[in-house]
Amino acid sequence: MKRNGAQLAVYALEQIGVKNTFGIPGVHNTELYDALNSSQQIKPILVTHEGCAAFAADAVSRTSNSIGVCAIVPAAGTALAMSGMGEAFLDGIPMLVISGGTRRDTGRYYQLHQIDQQKMTSAVTKGYFRPEKHEDVIPAIYKAYDLAVSGEPGPVFVELPVEVQMFQGEAELIPYTPSYSKPAVDWEKVKKAADLLISARCPGIYVGWGAVDAIAYTTRLAEILVAPVSTTLQGKSAFPANHPLYTCVGFGPSAKPSARKAFAKCDVLLAVGCRFAELATGSYGMDIPENLIHVDINPDVFDKNYKTKVAIHGDATDVLKALVEELTLRGFSAPRDVKALGAQIKEDNDAYFSEWITGKKDNIVSPGYFFKSLREQLSDDAIMAVDDGNHTFLAAELFPVYQPRGFISPTDFNCMGYCVPAAIGAKLRNPDKQVVGIVGDGAFLMTGLELLTASTYGIAPVIFVFHDGELGQISQFQAVPLNRKTCTVLGDFKVQGVAEATGAHFITMNNDHEIESGIAEALKVSKEGKPVLVDVKIDYSKKTMLTKGVVKVSLSRFPLGEKVRFIARAIKRHVMG
């Protein structure tokens, strides 16, 4: 039976379990959208911007067992989607990007949208496929999917030329069979790692997103070793915050006191599913011990920033399971007192949090009281999406996450505008879970109109806009050394107007006394199926540890002459006003 290429592509997407696509139809993918409309399994979602399509697809991959898929027009649509593709690429998130392609059977040049998309996307994708004929369409999508989810995951680009989409051809409907496999566990290296961990006086565990599905074994290993645990920002949900051995995000100068104290004498560090990137390490401020055991699915990350003693290439779950088995087989029991360590961590975390709740204010919303009430009113399995900004690090320090994949954040690509579309994508695939987004007003201005998509499709996340009228994080970085704010003060805008324009329910939160009722109302309306937008008059006056720590670490690495110049300039500007 003859089928057009669009029908073949949709069949392949159904076979790999796709439930939704995100994008905008155009001249070069009209047939694809027509085929999607006939699918009983896949529901295409029209977005307002292709960048939002990619962010929403990213969130689907992060929070569900279905891969996120974009269906976009070539060239212009691809360019707009590249922000989300870049985020997925650097954060290790699987994604399929299905683009139309210009016709190749006419002999014409300078067609609408005609550009080399392989070159265009090569820096932010794991691979590119362009089926030449109908029989290539299904295998190309299967290969793209396998590449996207294997090894270190990432986005893969598939270009469907418009004549293949439109015209019919012969092609067999081949069922999907995975053609990838995980690396075998290197037991010799596992034994070497076990030797180091057994000999350690103060072992520590540091996990990233790559270990997000290995919580059972990370938890067991921490208990066997009586080791404190820290996570990267992206991996904040890779270890339960209510476990007594969990400290916080990071453990260097940019981390909370609980981690700095617990890791102060760490002599063997087990790092799993992380890359020791700039944001995760607080601008490389961590003191990493000589005895570093590094586990990752991508062997290219080893020894990039810190030299390893034992590097184990493998899947986090498989390797951690092997370590647990090896330590159990040896009958290892740590001499350290788990209750004492847990009590110290709790005391330090409680003391730090108490600094943020020193008395309710009548004219502004305090982050401590906000996150305290939010955590109390949310279910343990709630999902939080954040954006890039000051609010990100407040959430990292003040909001405990209890279950894997319960916290999603733009990280190494660090793209503003992520939160709103990501919260929509997460809620779409997790309709029975509470999904909240925390976004700064600057980032909200980039993609806030995507709430129209939420209203149109009955998707109901709660979006809290931390509204201070500035690009808060950069404004704080400017304040001390420069004593001036250059291009970080936003124009005045009315959040309520965005809610009215997009059909979202609006709530305003002006002070600490309105926090509890405002959150309760937002969650109630969301449960009824309507997206909610909350305008939070946030107090950013107290700096996070990350803000303070990064400034200190960065300044310490300046050449002496430049350090003196920067300090002198700051003093002069503050004295002179």
Side-chain angles (χ1 to χ4, degrees), residues 285-499:
M286 289 178 172
D287 185 13
I288 305 299
E290 179 182 346
N291 291 320
L292 170 62
I293 304 163
H294 195 174
V295 179
D296 204 274
I297 195 68
N298 180 4
D300 291 340
V301 306
F302 299 140
D303 301 308
K304 282 293 192 295
N305 291 320
Y306 300 99
K307 185 70 176 175
T308 57
K309 184 72 73 172
V310 179
I312 306 177
H313 172 217
D315 175 78
T317 299
D318 294 344
V319 175
L320 290 175
K321 180 182 178 183
L323 271 171
V324 169
E325 290 176 359
E326 181 66 20
L327 292 172
T328 303
L329 182 66
R330 298 190 193 188
F332 175 72
S333 179
R336 293 168 291 279
D337 185 348
V338 64
K339 290 185 178 180
L341 178 57
Q344 185 63 62
I345 291 171
K346 184 178 186 304
E347 180 181 333
D348 291 337
N349 277 332
D350 289 348
Y352 180 74
F353 192 83
S354 68
E355 297 176 10
W356 292 85
I357 48 173
T358 56
K360 291 190 175 182
K361 298 177 180 177
D362 299 326
N363 63 336
I364 202 163
V365 174
S366 304
Y369 288 110
F370 174 85
F371 282 109
K372 181 177 184 293
S373 181
L374 185 62
R375 179 67 278 177
E376 289 171 350
Q377 296 194 56
L378 286 177
S379 303
D380 286 358
D381 65 350
I383 296 171
M384 174 181 285
V386 297
D387 215 287
D388 170 38
N390 206 0
H391 68 279
T392 314
F393 308 111
L394 286 170
E397 292 185 3
L398 303 177
F399 184 80
V401 177
Y402 301 142
Q403 296 197 10
R405 300 179 180 269
F407 181 87
I408 58 176
S409 167
T411 311
D412 287 344
F413 199 75
N414 214 214
C415 193
M416 292 176 68
Y418 176 86
C419 173
V420 173
I424 292 170
K427 184 64 175 177
L428 176 66
R429 296 308 323 145
N430 298 272
D432 297 329
K433 292 184 179 181
Q434 296 167 317
V435 176
V436 299
I438 311 289
V439 58
D441 43 9
F444 178 74
L445 285 170
M446 294 184 176
T447 56
L449 288 177
E450 201 61 51
L451 281 170
L452 177 62
T453 301
S455 295
T456 300
Y457 290 95
I459 306 167
V462 176
I463 305 297
F464 295 96
V465 180
F466 278 16
H467 196 171
D468 72 323
E470 299 181 354
L471 300 175
Q473 185 69 32
I474 303 304
S475 178
Q476 285 191 0
F477 281 141
Q478 290 176 335
V480 174
L482 304 175
N483 196 31
R484 61 180 64 167
K485 297 175 181 179
T486 304
C487 290
T488 54
V489 178
L490 302 172
D492 186 35
F493 75 102
K494 303 295 187 290
V495 177
Q496 184 173 2
V498 179

Side-chain angles (χ1 to χ4, degrees), residues 13 18-27 29-30 32-33 36 42-58 60 68-74 76-78 80-81 95-100 421 424-425 428 450 453 456-457 459:
L13 293 175
V18 173
K19 301 296 192 300
N20 297 103
T21 63
F22 302 89
I24 299 175
V27 173
N29 63 3
T30 301
L32 177 63
Y33 270 87
L36 285 168
I42 304 173
K43 182 175 183 178
I45 303 295
L46 172 64
V47 296
T48 66
H49 190 288
E50 283 93 344
C52 294
F55 289 142
D58 170 295
V60 166
V69 179
C70 299
I72 59 176
V73 297
T78 299
L80 295 175
M95 181 189 296
L96 283 182
V97 182
I98 313 294
S99 163
I424 292 170
L428 176 66
E450 201 61 51
T453 301
T456 300
Y457 290 95
I459 306 167

Side-chain angles (χ1 to χ4, degrees), residues 133-194:
K133 47 190 181 298
H134 290 78
E135 62 211 59
D136 298 334
V137 172
I138 294 173
I141 290 177
Y142 290 168
K143 290 175 184 177
Y145 175 74
D146 286 344
L147 181 59
V149 300
S150 62
E152 181 177 9
V156 178
F157 197 91
V158 180
E159 179 177 331
L160 293 177
V162 73
E163 79 276 7
V164 174
Q165 286 185 60
M166 291 193 304
F167 303 149
Q168 291 190 335
E170 294 286 351
E172 183 182 354
L173 297 182
I174 308 166
Y176 171 68
T177 302
S179 62
Y180 64 93
S181 60
K182 295 186 293 184
V185 174
D186 187 332
W187 279 95
E188 288 304 312
K189 289 190 174 182
V190 167
K191 290 176 181 178
K192 289 180 181 179

